[in-house]
Amino acid sequence: MALKKVLTIAGSDTSAGAGMQADLKTFQELDTYGMVALAAVVTMDPKTWSHDVTPLPFDLFNKQLETAISIGPDAVKTGMLGSEEIIKRAGEAFTESGAKYFVVDPVMVCKGEDEVLNPGNTDAMIKYLLPKATVTTPNLFEAGQLSGLGTLKSIDDMKKAAKIIHDQGAENVIIKGGKALDQDKSYDLYYDGDKYYQLTTDMFQQSYNHGAGCTFAAATTANLANGQSPKDAVVNAKAFVASAIKNGWKMNEFVGPVDHGAYNRIEKIDVDVKEV
Ligand code: ADP
C-alpha cells in the first residue's frame, strides 16, 4: 500500500533536533512520506547558541506550497511560521491541498529563548489556523497565550484553556504540560469537545529534550494520516516522544536533541490515559 503523504510547513533547525528536520525524521519513523514547505531558517551563534530566525521571502514560501499542493498531501502540520502573512497562507494552503487532517503546533518561542516571535502571530493563529485544526498541540505557555488565561499551573487550568481553544475552532486540543507543569510525572491534557483526558508518562531527563514539541506534533500528524482516531493519534504520539526524550543525548555544551528513532529502535513507553 502506498505511503500516506504528510506535509510540514515549518522552520529549519540546522542542529536538526527540532523544526522540519524533526518532522521529517518522525514522519519516516512512523511510516509516512514526509514533505516540506520551509517558512524560515533558524541559525545559532556557535559561541552562545542564541537563535536568529530568518524568514524566507514570501514568494519563495508560496512556490513551495504550490508544489506541495499539486502533490496532494493526506495531512498537513504547521510549526514555526514567523509572520501573519505566512500564517494566513499556511491556513489557505491546507484548504487548497484537500488534505484530510490539519495539525497546528502553535509555536511561539524557540526552546531556551524567551522572546515571543511576533505577538501579532497569536491572533493570526486563532483567526486562520485554529478553525481548521483537526488537532492543536500548544504547550503550557502557548495555551495560556491562545486562551488569554496567562500562566497555567494545574490540570484544572489546562481544562479551562482547552475549552476556550476548542471554542476558537480546534476540533481537538492537547495541552502539553511537559516539564513546565513541574510535577513528578509528565501530564498532558486532551479535550475532544466532549471529554477531558489526562495522558501521563514518567518524567524523564530534562536536559536533552530539544525538539520534543515538534516531534510530538509530527507524530500526531503521521498517526492521523495512517488512519488513527485523534485520541489514539495523540496517545501514541506521547508514547513516541517519551521514548525520544528518555533517550535524548548531549550534542554540545548548549543543546541535546531527542532521539527520534528511539521508539522503534530502543523502547516503547506506556502512556496512562484517564478521564478527568
Ligand atoms: P514544547 O517543545 O512545545 O515546549 P514539550 O517539551 O512541553 O513541548 O512537550 C512535548 C511532549 O513531551 C509532551 O507530551 C510533554 O508532556 C512531553 N515531555 C516534555 N518533557 C518531558 C520529560 N522530561 N519527560 C517526559 N515527557 C516530557
Side-chain angles (χ1 to χ4, degrees):
M1 204 174 66
L3 292 172
K4 298 292 184 191
K5 292 164 284 182
V6 285
L7 169 69
T8 179
I9 308 174
S12 162
D13 165 20
T14 301
S15 81
M20 66 91 163
Q21 289 86 350
D23 295 341
L24 286 185
K25 291 173 194 185
T26 301
F27 294 159
Q28 182 76 19
E29 290 292 331
L30 291 173
D31 301 330
T32 51
Y33 182 82
M35 305 188 287
V36 185
L38 200 59
V41 177
V42 184
T43 50
M44 296 85 182
D45 182 317
K47 293 204 176 71
T48 62
W49 218 249
S50 84
H51 292 36
D52 215 359
V53 180
T54 308
L56 260 67
F58 184 79
D59 281 355
L60 180 54
F61 172 67
N62 196 37
K63 276 188 193 165
Q64 298 172 78
L65 289 176
E66 283 169 8
T67 307
I69 289 167
S70 79
I71 298 168
D74 297 287
V76 176
K77 165 192 184 281
T78 61
M80 180 200 279
L81 295 175
S83 72
E84 291 177 51
E85 189 184 32
I86 281 182
I87 291 170
K88 179 165 184 272
R89 184 64 197 128
E92 290 166 1
F94 162 70
T95 305
E96 288 166 23
S97 76
K100 212 166 158 191
Y101 308 103
F102 192 34
V103 174
V104 175
D105 187 13
V107 176
M108 293 180 187
V109 288
C110 297
K111 202 166 250 171
E113 306 275 299
D114 44 19
E115 196 185 332
V116 175
L117 288 171
N118 175 353
N121 287 356
T122 305
D123 292 339
M125 287 191 279
I126 293 170
K127 189 164 168 195
Y128 300 117
L129 302 183
L130 292 187
K132 298 180 179 184
T134 316
V135 179
T136 187
T137 62
N139 62 22
L140 219 50
F141 173 78
E142 291 154 353
Q145 296 293 308
L146 290 170
S147 64
L149 295 179
T151 309
L152 309 177
K153 292 196 176 129
S154 63
I155 293 288
D156 268 353
D157 288 352
M158 289 159 87
K159 284 172 79 170
K160 285 186 197 125
K163 170 92 176 68
I164 293 171
I165 296 167
H166 180 266
D167 289 347
Q168 287 165 339
E171 243 175 270
N172 300 277
V173 181
I174 175 129
I175 302 181
K176 300 169 292 187
K179 63 182 187 310
L181 203 55
D182 200 19
Q183 308 272 355
D184 52 340
K185 298 267 183 186
S186 164
Y187 300 112
D188 297 347
L189 189 275
Y190 174 68
Y191 179 55
D192 61 9
D194 178 25
K195 293 184 170 134
Y196 298 90
Y197 298 91
Q198 182 177 307
L199 279 45
T200 308
T201 67
D202 287 339
M203 182 70 89
F204 301 114
Q205 60 80 29
Q206 305 190 8
S207 305
Y208 310 123
N209 62 1
H210 177 61
C214 302
T215 301
F216 176 77
T220 300
T221 313
N223 291 340
L224 285 168
N226 279 331
Q228 295 183 18
S229 69
K231 182 165 164 242
D232 287 349
V234 297
V235 171
N236 292 326
K238 186 162 175 68
F240 185 92
V241 77
S243 303
I245 292 169
K246 188 175 174 197
N247 293 282
W249 55 284
K250 182 173 178 173
M251 178 179 276
N252 61 21
E253 63 176 302
F254 303 107
V255 71
V258 300
D259 180 344
H260 307 87
Y263 179 80
N264 286 331
R265 204 180 69 250
I266 303 175
E267 60 189 323
K268 302 216 173 359
I269 291 185
D270 286 338
V271 179
D272 179 70
V273 181
K274 74 165 186 203
E275 203 178 326
V276 288

